[in-house]
Amino acid sequence: MTETSERTERTWTERYDPASIEPRWQARWSEAATYRTDLDDDSRPKFYLLTMYDYPSGDLHIGHWYVKTPTDAIARFHRMRGENVFMPVGFDAFGLPAENAAIKNKIHPREWTMKNIENMRRQLRSMGATFDWEAEVVTCDPAYYRWNQWLFLEFLKAGLAYRAKAPVDWCPNDGTLAREQVEGTDRRCWRCGATVEKRDLEQWWFRTTQYADELLDFSGIDWPEPVRIMQTNWIGRSEGGEIVFATAPSDHHAGGEELRVFTTRPDTLFGATFMVLAPEHPLVASLTAPERRTDVEGYVARARVATEIERLSADREKTGVPIGADAINPINGERIPLFIADYVLAGYGTGAIMAVPAHDERDFAFATQFGLPIRRVVAAPGTEHAPLDAAFISHAADERLVNSGPYSGMSADEGGRAIVVALAERNAGKAAVTYRIRDWLISRQRYWGTPIPIIHCDRCGAVPVPEDQLPVLLPDTVDYQGSGDNPLTRDEAFLRVKCPNCDGPARRETDTMDTFVDSSWYWFRYLSPEKPDGPIDGAMAARWTPVDQYTGGAEHAVMHLLYSRFFTKAMRDIGLIRESEPFKRLFNQGQILGADGERMSKSRGNVQDPDELVARYGADTVRLFLMFMGPWDQGGPWSPSGIGGVYRFLNRVWAIATDPRGTDQGDQEAGQLPAGQDLDAAEATIRTAAHRTLRDVTIDYEGFRFNTMIAKLMELSNALYRYRGTSAAGGGAWEEAVRLLLLMLAPAAPHMTEELWSRRLSAATVKWTSIHSERWPDVDAAVVVEATREVPVQINGKVRDKVVVPAGVSDADLEQLVLAAPKIQAALAGRTPDRVVVAAGGRLVNLVVRG
RNA sequence: GCCGGAGUGGCGGAAUGGCAGACGCAGUCGACUUAAAAUCGGCAGCCCGCAAGGGCGUGAGGGUUCGAGUCCCUCCUCCGGUACCA
């Protein structure tokens, strides 16, 4: 008995136990309101760190941690650098899944949403993240969405919002369907299986196109190049000309109507051998010849079923029908036939094109299929009569216009300009710019969203709800009748209202807003979430926005991020703010997929619950593992293999910090310095390792390269572990290295480092202060320099030897040292190198030997 | 289809145009243990070889360069977006 207890006493060291450490520190941080940001404190530089708020889906998974815990490490790093960091959190609480859950489980969307938010709050707190919860924003709260309504009305006043028709995917039972609710190639409703049709509805739009050119300008913001490219392509500015064709007279039609087309290639106008109208083009019905009517109407009906992606697919066989009418080419008076085809979209350009099969791939495919003439009008010298087996779309300097009347012989650019000028003189054309981007359709025929504050009056039309009657509350009474259509359309209490203009009977708008409206300005609201008399606090906004750093998924590269830029510019133009861009710096982290490589979701059953992992390893290990897995912008399928290695790492840090003189059973070199090292050498090694790590880790934090940052901390802890139990352990160099290790690890593993820090302070009988309020340490430049370095030597690009040389060696001396190395002499076998390449900085030498 | 991204050991990954495989997982051998677990140390891309050493090797094929995982061209596969999922 006695023997056993003595033995236990001797070998017992306190183990790393996250379960006892983490809740304690989380409670303490919370009590002290450590991360409540003082927004009025301008004694330090401000740093607004925004991470994309979540949709409270109920699929709580490791992916949320993957986004948020590295962001928290960024927050902590910036605080240690002396900045006043604001990192708020909130919930994107309106949207489709809540309604789906409501229909399926007979639970009110609000109840479902709020329950999920509750659970997510608990989870977010368990990360040990430093969110400022007092700034929280929940978008389904009237205190938030009333300002969506207010902004809508302001946009309306400013001409930035308007009403127009737009087609929706429509199911007779479930109403408007989202893209993901339309299934299969035969396009059926996911819920009832009915065939989905298009229906034109009067809907509300935001005029994003007004800012098309400004949105192309990314100067002054530091965003990843892929995002800038995707947004640029999405906006899709193209320069060219608008050309006016006239309809030709025929038996059934007098002719003379204008048919406007946009083309990026006015130079090819002489090559236009037919025209194609979108099936939805307004002139189709009146131009169609009586004998063509059946075919044309059939084709129009089929085109309405196809999706845009299908219609634009270049792979797909071209379809279309002639409408039995002609147009007249304004440049040469030639009659060319008119077709409709679904590869021409009503919403782009003018909804009609001049087809130049010789110089456009899609026109070429169409002409080939329908046996239409293909007339070459651009050619390189000597190729004027070469047959075309594909569209000729090259744009080389030596090419000239051919078969183009007076313009033949001109270059394409020159000819194009001349043709536009000639047409303009006759009012038959002008230079023009078009954009691919369309205005933003914000109407949703759904219940769970912000009601659009409009009242429809038979006499007065669409009347804005007066500002003093905001918010238009979303009624809580929901009658879904088991289908997905919008129950607001059946809610008499909501619908019946007096016209604010004439006091007559009127009807409320039942469309709600796209949830992207909510997310297009939420970072302003975080600064004054309770403000009762306006959407934003101008002074706060001036001080804190734009956001310094935004983090979130790459899936938002275009829509959310473009809408947010649009909103910022629109809010500037209605006088709310001064800046033009929402987010100065953007980082898109990757996405964690399920083990099956699919997106994590409850329905797929591939969700990894972080709670289990936290219970087993602690939050610090989970945080660190997610950061260690790979580059943050990469993501990838979830696999927990490897988390044990991170846990082992933290245990080693624990042992280094709590028990420097301890040794491990089975360690054959326990207590001995490495062979050939005395204490001075050991301390120098330790000090150099610590400061080099600090130098490199600082750079990694700045670039969000957390995986290599942790790898370097592992290397440092491995190096220190080697000295544990030796005469170097616990000495000056050791203590400094441990201090640096804890400080460097603190942003990533906040609980354990706080615990170890407090123990160090109490061991030194110093009053406790948090490690997270420490200043980020400075590198001691003197100890990171190296006296010698190893230079790899290649012969013809293959490494044959390595030589150790003094750090400051000249290139000439380096060359001599390399040529004198025995292995190199042997490999050269008497030959003299034809060339000696010393790579920049003398990092490598390559000997080039010919023959 | 179009726009953007990614493909490197058995696995996750590292590498300003300059030593491919850092760090870790899994594996294996040894130490400690009565034993196992845990822990500590060693080995470890593939092929040939007892070894010394040699050859091959970053999705496929070409190119530029003294030198290519990295730059250029063509192609394949996977991921994100494609305007009503968020």
Side-chain angles (χ1 to χ4, degrees):
Chain A
M1 196 63 191
T2 311
E3 202 183 292
T4 313
S5 77
E6 265 178 19
R7 190 192 162 92
T8 308
E9 195 97 329
R10 253 200 328 271
T11 57
W12 183 86
T13 48
E14 194 191 340
R15 293 200 46 143
Y16 170 47
D17 179 24
S20 72
I21 294 171
E22 293 179 350
R24 186 152 43 81
W25 285 112
Q26 284 175 15
R28 187 143 177 193
W29 296 332
S30 174
E31 271 164 41
T34 319
Y35 303 111
R36 172 76 189 123
T37 304
D38 179 359
L39 295 173
D40 293 316
D41 172 11
D42 46 17
S43 66
R44 295 170 289 165
K46 66 99 183 178
F47 189 76
Y48 190 165
L49 175 59
L50 182 70
T51 184
M52 287 178 190
Y53 68 175
D54 288 303
Y55 182 77
S57 60
D59 295 351
L60 298 161
H61 56 69
I62 200 73
H64 294 101
W65 280 60
Y66 188 71
V67 182
K68 294 196 159 48
T69 55
T71 303
D72 180 54
I74 296 168
R76 292 176 182 273
F77 176 69
H78 277 267
R79 279 196 203 93
M80 291 176 83
R81 298 261 241 171
E83 289 165 60
N84 188 22
V85 175
F86 180 49
M87 183 173 66
V89 65
F91 296 96
D92 185 15
F94 275 138
L96 192 56
E99 289 190 72
N100 292 338
I103 295 161
K104 203 173 150 198
N105 307 324
K106 309 272 182 229
I107 179 171
H108 193 282
R110 177 173 301 279
E111 193 188 327
W112 181 87
T113 302
M114 296 316 286
K115 209 182 69 198
N116 288 341
I117 287 177
E118 245 343 286
N119 194 29
M120 270 176 104
R121 284 190 184 122
R122 180 190 60 74
Q123 283 232 338
L124 289 167
R125 287 175 195 276
S126 76
M127 290 174 189
T130 56
F131 294 117
D132 184 342
W133 284 97
E134 287 182 49
E136 190 194 45
V137 152
V138 177
T139 58
C140 65
D141 183 344
Y144 186 81
Y145 71 69
R146 70 174 293 172
W147 301 110
N148 285 340
Q149 296 173 342
W150 186 89
L151 286 162
F152 172 90
L153 295 175
E154 290 295 308
F155 286 4
L156 195 62
K157 276 187 230 163
L160 291 168
Y162 66 95
R163 192 159 125 101
K165 276 199 169 166
V168 297
D169 285 326
W170 183 267
C171 165
N173 305 310
D174 292 296
T176 305
L177 298 181
R179 194 166 75 138
E180 64 170 13
Q181 298 176 320
V182 180
E183 293 182 335
T185 45
D186 57 347
R187 300 179 41 76
R188 292 181 174 278
C189 173
W190 70 325
R191 199 167 269 138
C192 70
T195 303
V196 174
E197 55 193 60
K198 296 262 192 215
R199 178 174 285 200
D200 281 318
L201 300 176
E202 285 282 351
Q203 308 191 66
W204 292 95
W205 303 74
F206 283 157
R207 215 178 288 280
T208 43
T209 52
Q210 182 162 318
Y211 295 93
D213 277 315
E214 200 188 339
L215 288 167
L216 287 168
D217 179 8
F218 294 90
S219 57
I221 56 176
D222 177 16
W223 281 25
E225 194 183 16
V227 177
R228 298 199 313 261
I229 292 172
M230 276 189 274
Q231 293 203 353
T232 301
N233 292 338
W234 181 272
I235 295 163
R237 179 188 160 99
S238 38
E239 293 184 28
E242 191 173 284
I243 299 177
V244 186
F245 286 66
T247 57
S250 67
D251 296 345
H252 65 279
H253 191 265
E257 280 160 314
E258 288 188 346
L259 269 179
R260 292 175 179 273
V261 303
F262 173 79
T263 176
T264 56
R265 298 290 305 274
D267 53 304
T268 63
L269 183 51
F270 281 85
T273 52
F274 58 102
M275 286 181 78
V276 185
L277 309 184
E280 303 85 352
H281 193 283
L283 288 179
V284 169
S286 63
L287 290 175
T288 300
E291 70 276 14
R292 298 294 313 140
R293 192 157 302 277
T294 313
D295 274 5
V296 167
E297 283 171 359
Y299 188 82
V300 170
R302 284 196 300 278
R304 287 180 67 79
V305 177
T307 66
E308 221 165 89
I309 291 175
E310 288 163 359
R311 287 176 60 163
L312 289 174
S313 172
D315 264 5
R316 183 161 159 261
E317 205 161 85
K318 290 280 170 291
T319 61
V321 292
I323 65 170
D326 292 338
I328 293 168
N329 187 334
I331 201 75
N332 58 9
E334 189 177 3
R335 268 180 94 114
I336 53 175
L338 287 167
F339 288 76
I340 56 171
D342 63 5
Y343 76 94
V344 176
L345 298 181
Y348 181 77
T350 60
I353 61 159
M354 64 180 212
V356 184
H359 304 288
D360 181 276
E361 275 178 58
R362 288 168 308 174
D363 297 347
F364 186 91
F366 192 89
T368 308
Q369 191 139 341
F370 290 84
L372 296 161
I374 297 172
R375 185 191 305 149
R376 174 170 214 148
V377 293
V378 183
T383 64
E384 295 83 352
H385 305 292
L388 286 168
D389 51 9
F392 180 76
I393 49 177
S394 117
H395 198 88
D398 65 339
E399 289 159 10
R400 292 290 175 271
L401 295 188
V402 295
N403 298 320
S404 295
Y407 307 94
S408 295
M410 293 184 183
S411 74
D413 287 346
E414 189 189 357
R417 279 192 298 270
I419 288 171
V420 170
V421 168
L423 292 173
E425 282 167 8
R426 287 183 265 150
N427 272 332
K430 60 181 183 195
V433 176
T434 50
Y435 300 88
R436 204 189 73 98
I437 192 175
R438 303 195 292 253
D439 282 335
W440 175 10
L441 176 69
I442 62 151
S443 282
R444 296 292 181 269
Q445 291 76 49
R446 304 198 190 293
Y447 164 74
W448 191 233
T450 303
I452 293 176
I454 289 289
I455 292 167
H456 297 285
C457 168
D458 285 342
R459 260 186 289 179
C460 310
V463 181
V465 172
E467 199 182 320
D468 60 10
Q469 290 175 27
L470 296 183
V472 176
L473 287 173
L474 192 63
D476 272 336
T477 49
V478 192
D479 169 23
Y480 276 107
Q481 300 186 337
S483 82
D485 74 333
N486 182 359
L488 289 180
T489 61
R490 296 187 297 268
D491 186 331
E492 288 299 319
F494 177 75
L495 286 171
R496 281 170 201 255
V497 67
K498 280 184 180 169
C499 172
N501 239 4
C502 68
D503 233 22
R507 187 177 183 276
R508 265 193 207 286
E509 171 66 63
T510 56
D511 282 356
T512 55
M513 294 184 200
D514 182 359
T515 57
F516 276 127
V517 173
D518 309 346
S519 55
S520 290
W521 67 282
Y522 72 111
W523 63 94
F524 288 109
R525 193 65 185 171
Y526 278 140
L527 294 164
S528 51
E530 315 271 328
K531 187 176 166 63
D533 56 350
I536 71 172
D537 178 326
M540 268 316 166
R543 182 180 293 175
W544 280 91
T545 61
V547 166
D548 294 281
Q549 176 69 58
Y550 196 25
T551 62
E555 68 273 21
H556 293 296
V558 174
M559 303 187 69
H560 161 57
L561 289 169
L562 200 58
Y563 293 144
S564 296
R565 295 181 66 216
F566 159 76
F567 246 74
T568 304
K569 294 169 200 305
M571 287 167 75
R572 174 199 63 196
D573 290 348
I574 61 173
L576 280 176
I577 51 168
R578 286 172 181 262
E579 71 258 30
S580 301
E581 290 288 348
F583 319 120
K584 273 194 240 171
R585 200 166 168 223
L586 170 71
F587 186 88
N588 287 135
Q589 92 288 324
Q591 201 169 24
I592 293 293
L593 306 170
D596 53 3
E598 304 276 336
R599 253 174 86 162
M600 272 192 197
S601 72
K602 250 187 205 162
S603 55
R604 286 199 185 88
N606 60 357
V607 171
Q608 170 65 51
D609 178 0
D611 289 353
E612 291 168 26
L613 294 168
V614 172
R616 187 152 165 211
Y617 296 102
D620 281 341
T621 295
V622 177
R623 290 170 62 113
L624 224 47
F625 177 59
L626 288 168
M627 291 186 228
F628 183 61
M629 271 173 50
W632 196 26
D633 57 5
Q634 201 168 291
W638 168 256
S639 162
S641 80
I643 193 168
V646 169
Y647 187 63
R648 268 195 285 278
F649 162 60
L650 288 182
N651 274 287
R652 287 174 150 239
V653 174
W654 183 267
I656 288 166
T658 58
D659 187 20
R661 291 191 175 74
T663 53
D664 295 296
Q665 295 209 335
D667 181 354
Q668 284 143 308
E669 286 162 359
Q672 301 164 34
L673 291 173
Q677 257 190 10
D678 60 12
L679 183 57
D680 282 351
E683 297 217 310
T685 305
I686 290 169
R687 193 168 285 125
T688 302
H691 280 273
R692 280 195 192 160
T693 304
L694 175 58
R695 177 193 63 192
D696 296 344
V697 160
T698 304
I699 295 166
D700 280 348
Y701 267 115
E702 286 167 348
F704 306 158
R705 285 181 292 273
F706 301 110
N707 57 330
T708 53
M709 180 275 286
I710 291 164
K712 284 160 194 164
L713 292 181
M714 285 174 168
E715 285 183 82
L716 177 60
S717 76
N718 289 344
L720 285 173
Y721 207 87
R722 175 63 189 83
Y723 290 98
R724 186 166 167 261
T726 71
S727 52
W734 168 277
E735 284 303 318
E736 184 192 7
V738 172
R739 180 173 174 275
L740 292 178
L741 176 61
L742 294 181
L743 289 168
M744 287 188 276
L745 190 55
H751 308 88
M752 190 188 85
T753 49
E754 183 81 302
E755 175 70 20
L756 292 173
W757 192 256
S758 80
R759 290 179 184 216
R760 281 169 69 85
L761 293 177
S762 75
T765 60
V766 175
K767 187 171 172 293
W768 179 77
T769 51
S770 171
I771 190 171
H772 303 294
S773 346
E774 288 297 312
R775 286 302 296 259
W776 191 254
D778 293 318
V779 177
D780 183 345
V783 304
V784 302
V785 296
E786 42 192 345
T788 60
R789 67 198 157 81
E790 193 181 61
V791 178
V793 185
Q794 298 179 332
I795 295 177
N796 292 337
K798 286 199 158 94
V799 176
R800 296 300 176 186
D801 198 7
K802 292 170 187 183
V803 296
V804 176
V805 301
V809 71
S810 72
D811 284 4
D813 291 350
L814 178 59
E815 195 176 322
Q816 290 313 306
L817 286 167
V818 162
L819 290 171
K823 271 192 192 170
I824 295 300
Q825 292 208 326
L828 285 173
R831 293 172 300 177
T832 311
D834 297 282
R835 199 178 150 190
V836 179
V837 180
V838 179
R843 283 194 309 276
L844 170 145
V845 177
N846 189 16
L847 308 175
V848 184
V849 186
R850 302 265 176 235

mmCIF file of all heavy atoms in Angstrom, chain A residues 771-787:
data_model
loop_
_atom_site.group_PDB
_atom_site.id
_atom_site.type_symbol
_atom_site.label_atom_id
_atom_site.label_comp_id
_atom_site.label_asym_id
_atom_site.label_seq_id
_atom_site.Cartn_x
_atom_site.Cartn_y
_atom_site.Cartn_z
ATOM 1 N N ILE A 771 -2.987 35.852 -21.348
ATOM 2 C CA ILE A 771 -2.007 35.723 -22.438
ATOM 3 C C ILE A 771 -2.525 36.427 -23.692
ATOM 4 O O ILE A 771 -1.755 36.911 -24.509
ATOM 5 C CB ILE A 771 -1.679 34.240 -22.741
ATOM 6 C CG1 ILE A 771 -0.472 34.144 -23.693
ATOM 7 C CG2 ILE A 771 -2.887 33.513 -23.325
ATOM 8 C CD1 ILE A 771 0.072 32.740 -23.887
ATOM 9 N N HIS A 772 -3.869 36.510 -23.784
ATOM 10 C CA HIS A 772 -4.457 37.098 -24.981
ATOM 11 C C HIS A 772 -4.399 38.622 -24.968
ATOM 12 O O HIS A 772 -4.771 39.257 -25.939
ATOM 13 C CB HIS A 772 -5.880 36.584 -25.160
ATOM 14 C CG HIS A 772 -5.923 35.087 -25.224
ATOM 15 N ND1 HIS A 772 -5.352 34.373 -26.245
ATOM 16 C CD2 HIS A 772 -6.382 34.158 -24.341
ATOM 17 C CE1 HIS A 772 -5.491 33.068 -26.003
ATOM 18 N NE2 HIS A 772 -6.110 32.922 -24.855
ATOM 19 N N SER A 773 -3.955 39.196 -23.849
ATOM 20 C CA SER A 773 -3.701 40.650 -23.873
ATOM 21 C C SER A 773 -2.206 40.945 -23.972
ATOM 22 O O SER A 773 -1.805 42.101 -23.906
ATOM 23 C CB SER A 773 -4.252 41.354 -22.626
ATOM 24 O OG SER A 773 -5.117 40.558 -21.910
ATOM 25 N N GLU A 774 -1.387 39.908 -24.097
ATOM 26 C CA GLU A 774 0.050 40.128 -24.289
ATOM 27 C C GLU A 774 0.307 40.718 -25.667
ATOM 28 O O GLU A 774 -0.468 40.502 -26.599
ATOM 29 C CB GLU A 774 0.804 38.801 -24.166
ATOM 30 C CG GLU A 774 0.883 38.264 -22.759
ATOM 31 C CD GLU A 774 1.662 39.188 -21.833
ATOM 32 O OE1 GLU A 774 2.771 39.609 -22.226
ATOM 33 O OE2 GLU A 774 1.163 39.473 -20.726
ATOM 34 N N ARG A 775 1.440 41.421 -25.783
ATOM 35 C CA ARG A 775 1.840 41.916 -27.094
ATOM 36 C C ARG A 775 2.548 40.820 -27.856
ATOM 37 O O ARG A 775 3.271 40.019 -27.283
ATOM 38 C CB ARG A 775 2.793 43.120 -26.947
ATOM 39 C CG ARG A 775 2.095 44.388 -26.502
ATOM 40 C CD ARG A 775 0.979 44.815 -27.455
ATOM 41 N NE ARG A 775 1.486 45.168 -28.777
ATOM 42 C CZ ARG A 775 1.673 46.408 -29.202
ATOM 43 N NH1 ARG A 775 1.392 47.418 -28.414
ATOM 44 N NH2 ARG A 775 2.131 46.639 -30.414
ATOM 45 N N TRP A 776 2.327 40.782 -29.156
ATOM 46 C CA TRP A 776 3.018 39.818 -30.013
ATOM 47 C C TRP A 776 4.520 40.104 -29.923
ATOM 48 O O TRP A 776 4.920 41.259 -30.048
ATOM 49 C CB TRP A 776 2.533 39.967 -31.445
ATOM 50 C CG TRP A 776 2.982 38.864 -32.345
ATOM 51 C CD1 TRP A 776 3.949 38.952 -33.305
ATOM 52 C CD2 TRP A 776 2.496 37.531 -32.389
ATOM 53 N NE1 TRP A 776 4.091 37.744 -33.935
ATOM 54 C CE2 TRP A 776 3.211 36.846 -33.389
ATOM 55 C CE3 TRP A 776 1.537 36.824 -31.662
ATOM 56 C CZ2 TRP A 776 2.990 35.501 -33.698
ATOM 57 C CZ3 TRP A 776 1.317 35.492 -31.971
ATOM 58 C CH2 TRP A 776 2.033 34.843 -32.968
ATOM 59 N N PRO A 777 5.333 39.061 -29.685
ATOM 60 C CA PRO A 777 6.762 39.309 -29.420
ATOM 61 C C PRO A 777 7.536 39.725 -30.673
ATOM 62 O O PRO A 777 7.085 39.524 -31.795
ATOM 63 C CB PRO A 777 7.264 37.959 -28.904
ATOM 64 C CG PRO A 777 6.281 36.961 -29.418
ATOM 65 C CD PRO A 777 4.967 37.658 -29.564
ATOM 66 N N ASP A 778 8.710 40.297 -30.437
ATOM 67 C CA ASP A 778 9.579 40.722 -31.533
ATOM 68 C C ASP A 778 10.695 39.708 -31.750
ATOM 69 O O ASP A 778 11.204 39.124 -30.798
ATOM 70 C CB ASP A 778 10.210 42.083 -31.218
ATOM 71 C CG ASP A 778 9.160 43.182 -31.192
ATOM 72 O OD1 ASP A 778 8.283 43.173 -32.076
ATOM 73 O OD2 ASP A 778 9.201 44.015 -30.266
ATOM 74 N N VAL A 779 11.072 39.550 -33.002
ATOM 75 C CA VAL A 779 12.162 38.622 -33.352
ATOM 76 C C VAL A 779 13.495 39.267 -32.968
ATOM 77 O O VAL A 779 13.708 40.452 -33.199
ATOM 78 C CB VAL A 779 12.142 38.340 -34.868
ATOM 79 C CG1 VAL A 779 13.314 37.442 -35.264
ATOM 80 C CG2 VAL A 779 10.828 37.714 -35.273
ATOM 81 N N ASP A 780 14.368 38.477 -32.359
ATOM 82 C CA ASP A 780 15.731 38.928 -32.089
ATOM 83 C C ASP A 780 16.574 38.601 -33.324
ATOM 84 O O ASP A 780 16.978 37.458 -33.541
ATOM 85 C CB ASP A 780 16.272 38.217 -30.843
ATOM 86 C CG ASP A 780 17.676 38.704 -30.477
ATOM 87 O OD1 ASP A 780 18.324 39.358 -31.327
ATOM 88 O OD2 ASP A 780 18.112 38.419 -29.354
ATOM 89 N N ALA A 781 16.775 39.612 -34.137
ATOM 90 C CA ALA A 781 17.429 39.400 -35.431
ATOM 91 C C ALA A 781 18.837 38.819 -35.263
ATOM 92 O O ALA A 781 19.324 38.086 -36.127
ATOM 93 C CB ALA A 781 17.487 40.707 -36.208
ATOM 94 N N ALA A 782 19.472 39.136 -34.133
ATOM 95 C CA ALA A 782 20.861 38.693 -33.937
ATOM 96 C C ALA A 782 20.974 37.177 -33.840
ATOM 97 O O ALA A 782 21.978 36.602 -34.264
ATOM 98 C CB ALA A 782 21.440 39.342 -32.680
ATOM 99 N N VAL A 783 19.946 36.528 -33.285
ATOM 100 C CA VAL A 783 20.096 35.083 -33.073
ATOM 101 C C VAL A 783 19.593 34.246 -34.247
ATOM 102 O O VAL A 783 19.805 33.036 -34.272
ATOM 103 C CB VAL A 783 19.409 34.604 -31.768
ATOM 104 C CG1 VAL A 783 19.943 35.380 -30.582
ATOM 105 C CG2 VAL A 783 17.909 34.681 -31.859
ATOM 106 N N VAL A 784 18.933 34.864 -35.226
ATOM 107 C CA VAL A 784 18.433 34.044 -36.336
ATOM 108 C C VAL A 784 19.459 33.905 -37.460
ATOM 109 O O VAL A 784 19.300 33.070 -38.343
ATOM 110 C CB VAL A 784 17.096 34.554 -36.923
ATOM 111 C CG1 VAL A 784 16.039 34.600 -35.854
ATOM 112 C CG2 VAL A 784 17.262 35.889 -37.599
ATOM 113 N N VAL A 785 20.518 34.727 -37.435
ATOM 114 C CA VAL A 785 21.486 34.615 -38.525
ATOM 115 C C VAL A 785 22.287 33.329 -38.396
ATOM 116 O O VAL A 785 22.583 32.861 -37.299
ATOM 117 C CB VAL A 785 22.444 35.832 -38.577
ATOM 118 C CG1 VAL A 785 21.686 37.087 -38.872
ATOM 119 C CG2 VAL A 785 23.246 35.940 -37.297
ATOM 120 N N GLU A 786 22.653 32.771 -39.538
ATOM 121 C CA GLU A 786 23.396 31.516 -39.522
ATOM 122 C C GLU A 786 24.845 31.785 -39.966
ATOM 123 O O GLU A 786 25.102 32.643 -40.801
ATOM 124 C CB GLU A 786 22.728 30.487 -40.430
ATOM 125 C CG GLU A 786 22.251 31.080 -41.757
ATOM 126 C CD GLU A 786 21.336 30.146 -42.535
ATOM 127 O OE1 GLU A 786 21.292 28.952 -42.192
ATOM 128 O OE2 GLU A 786 20.700 30.617 -43.474
ATOM 129 N N ALA A 787 25.776 31.004 -39.413
ATOM 130 C CA ALA A 787 27.190 31.196 -39.729
ATOM 131 C C ALA A 787 27.568 30.475 -41.026
ATOM 132 O O ALA A 787 28.366 30.967 -41.813
ATOM 133 C CB ALA A 787 28.047 30.676 -38.583
#
